[in-house]
Amino acid sequence: IKAIESPNKDDDTQWLTYWVVYGVFSIVEFFSDIFLSWFPFYYMLKCGFLLWCMAPSPSNGAEFLYHRIIRPFFLKHEAQLDSVVKDLKDKA
């Protein structure tokens, strides 16, 4: 997220955004997979969701989710997340 929000923009921003969205999706899925796997066509919907996130089109799912959900949450809690990362780095 820090690389995406930096002022130096390169053409890797689309893939960085995708991997941030994929990482958040993987964390959510890890905790809810036991319930979601019971839904019919879950894996087909998951595949379609990931393709939507990767699509190089104006309606790119990763860009949409990042700007509507992940970025506002991150900007609201940035100081807290930075302090947690710093504490973990100091302990390591």
Side-chain angles (χ1 to χ4, degrees), residues 21-54:
V21 171
Y22 181 79
V24 171
F25 173 74
S26 295
I27 291 170
V28 170
E29 184 188 32
F30 176 78
F31 292 107
S32 62
D33 189 45
I34 193 163
F35 303 112
L36 293 175
S37 63
W38 286 90
F39 286 104
F41 305 108
Y42 165 68
Y43 292 105
M44 287 178 50
L45 292 173
K46 176 183 171 182
C47 183
F49 170 76
L50 293 175
L51 286 173
W52 176 61
C53 287
M54 283 189 270

Side-chain angles (χ1 to χ4, degrees), residues 45-83:
L45 292 173
K46 176 183 171 182
C47 183
F49 170 76
L50 293 175
L51 286 173
W52 176 61
C53 287
M54 283 189 270
S57 67
S59 60
N60 185 314
E63 292 283 332
F64 177 79
L65 293 173
Y66 178 77
H67 288 291
R68 295 282 178 119
I69 298 170
I70 297 171
R71 186 173 190 264
F73 179 82
F74 174 75
L75 293 177
K76 182 178 179 183
H77 300 289
E78 184 176 10
Q80 296 165 336
L81 293 170
D82 284 343
S83 68

